[in-house]
Amino acid sequence: MNEIKFIHAADLHLDSPMVGLKHLPKHIFKRLQESTFQALKTLIDKAISSKVDFVILAGDLFDHEDRSIRAQARLRSELERLQSEGISVFIVYGNHDFMGGSWPHLDLPNNVEVFRETVETKTLKTRNGAVVHLYGFSYPSRHVLERKIDDYKRTGNADYHIGILHGNLEGNQEHGNYAPFQLNDLLEKQFDYWALGHIHKRAVLCEEPPIVYPGNLQGRHRKEAEVKGCYLVSLNQANHSLEFIETSDVIWLEKQLDATHMKSFNELYHSCLDLVERVRLDEVGVLLCLKIINVNLDEVTLDDLMKEELLEALQGNEEKEDSFVWTISIQVENQMTYNRDLLAKEDDFYSEMFDMTDNLELLEESLSQLYHHPLARKYLKSLTPEELKQLKQETEWMLLQELLK
């Protein structure tokens, strides 16, 4: 059986608005705005240099259903590069770029096959004679809650059978439970590869056959940290290989610095500078969220004002660098220690405050106005239980800092 080679990518979110980041320096914000397109270009470059047979884009190519003309034009331009190399492209649309609705429409090149709203099979014969059947569907609307996996059926004679599914592995609470499936559902289909989309953190759910979430091509906020990319896949009769291809033009990083043995601000500052240099990458920008723990300086207390000055010092001239490391935020923990039980016994005020901060329902109620705002809710994602717990702890710490100074 002849080998096939292809690239599997998903969740491009082209032209993502990068909400809440306009405060960044102009040069860095523009770089971030362009990053989804640069990630796509890197993918196309790799497809051409690797001489792949085809490319799979498994949903959410665009960030919104009203696809911008800019995003459509840039996508078309890159796909035309594949057309000139004789490389086919197979696309399903997901919950962000579903087929319904209306928008200014630009046609895609002739090398592109788009799956329609019901599960269907498309056939490709590669240059070396391998016959591939690909199965998939595009979302007709944003909310596809039914088990579309039940409609996938292996058909006809082919050397390889590949399923494309933009959906959620049941039990995953971080994303909408669209087109849900269980791992065994996929295994029962006896396909040679499952090209998944929807989850932005890459994961190989199964090695044999490969069942793969490639994650998104470019991180857009701090929850999408670390390197992003796609997979270069080779399949033959005996085995397979998966090569992760890095595509991020800007990477979000969260790093922790332990200041236990630092007694002066000078030591702390230079340790921060050293960390910045350690995370710097060639030709890639970094947006750094820094957490400093166990701060107990002899000379000063690292209050909000000094923390802000430290942030500005670390940012320095980074905006002029192509391989910048821009420190987005500094979080400081453990500047003061306190005994919760002792404080609660000493004063009823502290006891009542702790009761309030322990009440997650009260916190959720306080946030509800923001999440129900007609404009804000469009861009906000629900907080996970862990994030709510962290927000509670930060709120309590902020209040105690003011009370115990």
Side-chain angles (χ1 to χ4, degrees):
M1 187 186 299
N2 294 328
E3 182 176 85
I4 61 171
K5 186 187 295 185
F6 61 93
I7 278 183
H8 166 207
D11 300 283
L12 285 62
H13 289 274
L14 296 174
D15 212 13
S16 178
M18 304 300 173
V19 175
L21 296 170
K22 288 186 178 180
H23 64 280
L24 292 172
K26 184 177 180 180
H27 170 70
I28 293 177
F29 183 62
K30 184 176 180 180
R31 174 86 171 266
L32 194 57
Q33 283 183 308
E34 282 289 311
S35 62
T36 55
F37 297 118
Q38 181 58 44
L40 173 63
K41 181 180 182 301
T42 301
L43 181 159
I44 301 300
D45 289 344
K46 185 64 178 180
I48 292 172
S49 65
S50 300
K51 295 181 169 54
V52 300
D53 296 301
F54 56 94
V55 171
I56 294 173
L57 302 178
D60 285 358
L61 282 68
F62 302 100
D63 197 60
H64 293 290
E65 66 271 20
D66 52 344
R67 312 161 191 199
S68 69
I69 294 176
R70 165 177 135 108
Q72 291 187 69
R74 295 284 286 273
L75 176 65
R76 177 182 172 83
S77 177
E78 292 297 337
L79 297 183
E80 284 176 337
R81 293 173 58 205
L82 295 180
Q83 183 179 34
S84 67
E85 299 292 331
I87 298 172
S88 299
V89 182
F90 295 89
I91 290 174
V92 304
Y93 292 120
N95 55 293
H96 274 261
D97 56 358
F98 55 88
M99 302 276 280
S102 60
W103 58 86
H105 183 78
L106 296 183
D107 289 338
L108 294 173
N110 293 330
N111 62 321
V112 179
E113 293 275 1
V114 177
F115 288 82
R116 289 169 294 188
E117 298 172 3
T118 57
V119 176
E120 59 181 336
T121 306
K122 295 185 180 294
T123 301
L124 172 72
K125 188 171 184 179
T126 66
R127 287 180 288 249
N128 64 8
V131 176
V132 185
H133 281 184
L134 300 101
Y135 308 78
F137 79 97
S138 291
Y139 280 46
S141 59
R142 179 178 295 279
H143 304 292
V144 175
L145 303 178
E146 61 265 31
R147 284 172 46 85
K148 298 291 288 188
I149 184 59
D150 296 335
D151 297 334
Y152 284 73
K153 293 178 174 58
R154 178 170 165 152
T155 60
N157 294 319
D159 298 309
Y160 299 96
H161 299 265
I162 296 175
I164 309 172
L165 176 60
H166 190 88
N168 189 59
L169 177 65
E170 290 183 345
N172 186 323
Q173 303 296 321
E174 295 183 7
H175 288 71
N177 198 33
Y178 300 136
F181 63 89
Q182 296 181 0
L183 186 58
N184 200 50
D185 295 328
L186 306 187
L187 294 173
E188 288 176 351
K189 301 299 178 180
Q190 297 185 332
F191 287 1
D192 298 293
Y193 185 91
W194 275 99
L196 304 179
H198 183 51
I199 305 302
H200 290 185
K201 186 175 183 180
R202 75 178 184 269
V204 178
L205 302 185
C206 182
E207 290 284 354
E208 189 60 51
I211 300 176
V212 180
Y213 279 117
N216 53 340
L217 285 188
Q218 167 63 51
R220 299 166 300 147
H221 46 74
R222 63 187 301 168
K223 293 182 184 178
E224 297 179 349
E226 305 299 334
V227 174
K228 299 291 184 177
C230 58
Y231 278 98
L232 174 63
V233 184
S234 297
L235 298 180
N236 60 40
Q237 191 172 13
N239 54 37
H240 67 266
S241 69
L242 300 174
E243 179 187 350
F244 182 70
I245 307 300
E246 298 181 5
T247 59
S248 306
D249 187 51
V250 179
I251 296 174
W252 290 80
L253 287 180
E254 293 189 358
K255 292 294 181 180
Q256 181 170 288
L257 179 66
D258 190 342
T260 301
H261 302 295
M262 301 175 197
K263 296 303 179 184
S264 70
F265 182 83
N266 183 64
E267 286 181 89
L268 177 62
Y269 172 63
H270 284 283
S271 295
C272 290
L273 288 178
D274 290 342
L275 187 149
V276 165
E277 292 307 317
R278 288 198 302 272
V279 302
R280 194 181 301 278
L281 300 167
D282 290 339
E283 299 180 359
V284 176
V286 173
L287 295 173
L288 176 65
C289 299
L290 178 59
K291 182 177 181 180
I292 307 175
I293 64 171
N294 301 321
V295 180
N296 188 22
L297 305 180
D298 288 341
E299 53 185 4
V300 293
T301 298
L302 199 59
D303 59 18
D304 289 342
L305 178 60
M306 190 168 292
K307 186 173 68 174
E308 189 67 28
E309 290 179 345
L310 175 60
L311 180 64
E312 292 176 359
L314 294 179
Q315 290 169 346
N317 294 319
E318 291 289 338
E319 64 184 278
K320 301 176 182 178
E321 301 285 341
D322 288 332
S323 301
F324 61 82
V325 179
W326 186 263
T327 308
I328 287 279
S329 63
I330 296 177
Q331 180 184 351
V332 178
E333 285 192 2
N334 298 344
Q335 277 190 263
M336 295 187 289
T337 58
Y338 62 96
N339 186 315
R340 223 168 174 262
D341 293 336
L342 183 60
L343 285 172
K345 289 177 182 178
E346 286 182 353
D347 195 315
D348 289 341
F349 177 82
Y350 288 112
S351 178
E352 291 178 13
M353 187 184 78
F354 293 144
D355 286 342
M356 289 183 66
T357 56
D358 283 339
N359 189 339
L360 287 178
E361 290 184 1
L362 185 61
L363 178 58
E364 290 177 314
E365 184 181 334
S366 300
L367 293 170
S368 64
Q369 290 186 6
L370 181 62
Y371 278 88
H372 286 90
H373 189 280
L375 294 178
R377 67 186 179 190
K378 182 178 180 181
Y379 301 104
L380 293 174
K381 293 183 178 180
S382 298
L383 295 175
T384 65
E386 186 60 33
E387 289 168 339
L388 279 171
K389 182 179 178 182
Q390 181 180 346
L391 184 58
K392 177 196 81 75
Q393 292 171 340
E394 290 175 356
T395 301
E396 180 176 296
W397 181 244
M398 180 183 69
L399 291 169
L400 281 170
Q401 277 185 307
E402 295 301 316
L403 292 168
L404 296 176
K405 277 182 180 179

